[in-house]
Amino acid sequence: MSTAMMTMRRAAALGARHMLAASSSRVVPIRHMSADVGAAMEKIRAAGLLKTQGLIAGQWVDAYDGKTIEVENPATGEVLASVSCMGSRETSDAIASAHSTFYSWSKLTANERSKALRKWYDLIIAHKEELALLMTLEQGKPMKEALGEVNYGASFLEYFAEEAKRIYGDIIPPTLSDRRLLVLKQPVGVVGAITPWNFPLAMITRKVGPALACGCTVVVKPSEFTPLTALAAADLALQAGIPAGALNVVMGNAPEIGDALLQSTQVRKITFTGSTAVGKKLMAGSADTVKKVSLELGGNAPCIVFDDADIDVAVKGSLAAKFRNSGQTCVCANRILVQEGIYEKFASAFIKAVQSLQVGNGLEETTSQGPLINEAAVQKVEKFINDATSKGANVMVGGKRHSLGMTFYEPTVVGNVSNDMLLFREEVFGPVAPLIPFKTEEEAIHLANDTNAGLAAYIFTKSIPRSWRVSESLEYGLVGVNEGIISTEVAPFGGVKQSGLGREGSKYGVDEYLELKYICMGNMS
């Protein structure tokens, strides 16, 4: 294994603990599950969307050595299914299939590719309830959020189905009268897409949608924690007419899969959403074959509440920015900076709102906060809380594991946080909201920018001049003004500094999958 994938091995270790020998029955029988989980799995199975094998060249295949990996429900610990645990050999075959298919898929008209993507969108919307159930079961987010992600993820397919027909080149005025100068935009080739567990559908469609629209083919490596949603989406892609080999899915041994993608000269681009540490390894590993790279990495989002903000708007927006998906998003508000004149009033209202959040199994209608993805995630939150309290911070609400057990953690607010604490310096990726007072606008901007991350930021103010000044001064790729949920398929998503390279979504996201070709035609007089 190359050093480029050492961090990925650590990231995969928890998933690999469940590696099993292959058996004739790959899916755990319904009778071993609780009634709610069993009913949900039966509905998914009846829709034909419970896939447990990898997808290579349009065929569902087991791992070549027969190994499998268990997928657990983080809310209950129940095993949902055992999926193929693949490695370098399967990935190499997936790359070869994508490379072979590229020559036919890229030669289709934009209109033909558009129709296939639109059909995929239609099928995802038709099966949104089953996909949301699957997502809630393997990832833990509440059903309302899961349904929201299905709609959000599908929107990228709809959008890029339309953008496929708008990939234009240029004609340049020549410097000599007998020449014609043209610029073509052509697909980069085979794309390796590595996606995270926190948005198991949307992070795939946000990458695969524009790639297929441009004429690229793709090998997707979903997270070992949430492969079932990815496999179900891939099955719907096949049903939509996306040809065999245009979309391949391999999961399992992250270091082996990552190495195979990095070392292959047939893979011309890597797109990755995940931690900054792994992103740096992938960037370094891509250098040997000089691949194009798009990276959407970790954040440390500031949420700045000025004393002229509307309290109700600020509380609602900050709550949404912080606690969506139980704090497990890269754009979650990681630090809530509150101006001194409004600090006490905001803190009181915010704590009251946090106390109203309902923690529970995502299948329950009243749940607004699900579990964290695994035990390691809970331990990280505990480490950050212990570090903060040891340095003078005070827990204002929450601050401990929830009585439900498993990986549930109480929605937490921490006061008196300073910039020497882990809660300020690093991404907690959990339901913890640190409150940090500030005096002036200049101090708020300094505190907000005092990080290597630069993905998302949020500000709350009634002042239009201030909203412009602060937005332009923040060193972040995304800024929400008086709004806590800002992601949309029509706007560019991405960060600056160590939060990544490139943009996803919008018309700008298409260019990440294209190469420019200049053609000079002589003797044209």
Side-chain angles (χ1 to χ4, degrees):
M1 181 186 71
S2 72
T3 55
M5 298 307 297
M6 288 297 292
T7 305
M8 289 188 75
R9 178 176 291 280
R10 292 193 291 272
L14 281 171
R17 75 189 188 278
H18 294 307
M19 196 177 294
L20 303 172
S23 65
S24 58
S25 178
R26 297 167 59 87
V27 180
V28 174
I30 296 297
R31 65 178 179 274
H32 291 169
M33 299 179 181
S34 62
D36 288 347
V37 173
M41 290 294 285
E42 187 56 46
K43 186 169 186 176
I44 295 161
R45 193 197 305 271
L49 294 178
L50 188 58
K51 302 296 180 182
T52 58
Q53 299 167 292
L55 179 63
I56 300 175
Q59 301 296 315
W60 297 103
V61 297
D62 292 324
Y64 295 164
D65 60 8
K67 290 181 179 177
T68 61
I69 188 170
E70 291 180 347
V71 180
E72 292 184 357
N73 180 345
T76 66
E78 295 165 294
V79 176
L80 301 171
S82 296
V83 302
S84 301
C85 183
M86 296 174 153
S88 58
R89 288 191 297 151
E90 296 90 344
T91 306
S92 295
D93 286 349
I95 293 169
S97 171
H99 185 254
S100 175
T101 306
F102 171 73
Y103 293 99
S104 57
W105 177 249
S106 62
K107 293 298 186 292
L108 294 179
T109 66
N111 190 53
E112 289 173 305
R113 293 196 298 270
S114 174
K115 287 179 178 177
L117 284 170
R118 176 67 201 203
K119 180 62 175 176
W120 191 12
Y121 162 81
D122 290 337
L123 287 172
I124 285 179
I125 293 300
H127 292 282
K128 64 181 178 181
E129 186 172 350
E130 294 91 347
L131 289 169
L133 280 170
L134 194 53
M135 195 183 304
T136 293
L137 289 172
E138 66 174 347
Q139 198 275 332
K141 65 180 60 179
M143 269 295 290
K144 183 178 180 181
E145 286 193 23
L147 284 165
E149 181 180 341
V150 174
N151 288 325
Y152 177 57
S155 72
F156 288 103
L157 300 180
E158 181 183 40
Y159 181 84
F160 287 112
E162 297 161 352
E163 285 298 297
K165 296 177 284 187
R166 303 188 186 104
I167 299 173
Y168 305 131
D170 282 305
I171 297 176
I172 301 172
T175 55
L176 299 174
S177 62
D178 68 340
R179 294 188 180 181
R180 299 295 181 268
L181 311 182
L182 301 92
V183 177
L184 302 184
K185 291 184 178 181
Q186 295 183 307
V188 66
V190 177
V191 175
I194 303 174
T195 60
W197 50 262
N198 56 342
F199 289 93
L201 177 66
M203 296 303 97
I204 290 175
T205 56
R206 198 164 74 182
K207 299 175 187 300
V208 175
L212 292 177
C214 292
C216 298
T217 52
V218 191
V219 178
V220 175
K221 184 242 167 249
S223 168
E224 295 77 20
F225 297 123
T226 56
L228 299 177
T229 303
L231 295 171
D235 185 54
L236 293 175
L238 289 179
Q239 294 180 38
I242 305 294
L247 174 60
N248 304 270
V249 182
V250 291
M251 62 278 172
N253 189 317
E256 284 194 18
I257 293 171
D259 270 347
L261 292 171
L262 291 175
Q263 293 167 6
S264 172
T265 56
Q266 293 180 335
V267 176
R268 297 307 312 137
K269 177 181 173 65
I270 293 290
T271 174
F272 169 73
T273 296
S275 73
T276 301
V278 173
K280 290 179 178 180
K281 298 296 183 181
L282 291 170
M283 189 175 180
S286 296
D288 286 344
T289 52
V290 195
K291 302 184 195 304
K292 288 180 66 113
V293 178
S294 295
L295 303 172
E296 194 264 283
L297 307 178
N300 187 2
C303 179
I304 307 173
V305 182
F306 289 100
D307 54 14
D308 63 353
D310 182 304
I311 284 284
D312 293 337
V313 171
V315 168
K316 181 181 178 181
S318 300
L319 195 75
K322 172 67 256 185
F323 289 100
R324 184 166 62 119
N325 203 10
S326 298
Q328 300 175 113
T329 86
C330 53
V331 294
C332 272
N334 204 57
R335 299 166 292 155
I336 301 180
L337 313 177
V338 188
Q339 199 158 16
E340 288 182 343
I342 203 174
Y343 183 88
E344 295 298 334
K345 188 175 181 181
F346 174 86
S348 176
F350 187 70
I351 288 170
K352 184 177 180 180
V354 170
Q355 289 174 323
S356 70
L357 295 173
Q358 295 296 309
V359 179
N361 190 316
L363 295 177
E364 297 170 3
E365 189 174 346
T366 58
T367 295
S368 60
Q369 295 284 288
L372 298 186
I373 189 64
N374 55 30
E375 176 62 23
V378 180
Q379 291 179 7
K380 180 181 179 181
V381 169
E382 291 178 326
K383 175 185 174 182
F384 279 43
I385 294 291
N386 291 337
D387 171 79
T389 54
S390 71
K391 295 175 181 176
N394 61 293
V395 175
M396 304 171 81
V397 66
K400 61 183 183 296
R401 291 175 184 249
H402 198 276
S403 59
L404 289 172
M406 296 302 297
T407 57
F408 290 97
Y409 198 88
E410 293 184 355
T412 299
V413 180
V414 181
N416 199 30
V417 172
S418 57
N419 62 2
D420 63 336
M421 300 175 185
L422 289 175
L423 279 176
F424 186 98
R425 309 304 314 176
E426 300 180 21
E427 192 175 31
V428 65
F429 231 65
V432 180
L435 299 186
I436 304 157
F438 70 89
K439 294 181 179 179
T440 66
E441 181 179 307
E442 293 72 23
E443 181 188 6
I445 292 170
H446 173 75
L447 288 170
N449 289 338
D450 185 20
T451 173
N452 288 327
L455 187 54
Y458 308 89
I459 62 176
F460 291 89
T461 177
K462 291 179 182 177
S463 168
I464 293 176
R466 169 176 274 167
S467 68
W468 277 112
R469 284 195 310 271
V470 177
S471 294
E472 292 174 355
S473 298
L474 291 171
E475 298 169 353
Y476 292 84
L478 317 167
V479 179
V481 180
N482 296 323
E483 180 56 63
I485 303 295
I486 61 176
S487 298
T488 169
E489 75 277 11
V490 302
F493 188 102
V496 300
K497 297 194 283 190
Q498 294 186 30
S499 283
L501 299 169
R503 293 295 182 268
E504 294 185 330
S506 81
K507 64 179 183 179
Y508 304 102
V510 173
D511 290 337
E512 302 291 334
Y513 298 90
L514 295 169
E515 297 278 22
L516 295 180
K517 178 179 286 184
Y518 158 58
I519 300 176
C520 176
M521 304 177 68
N523 296 306
M524 300 300 291
S525 296

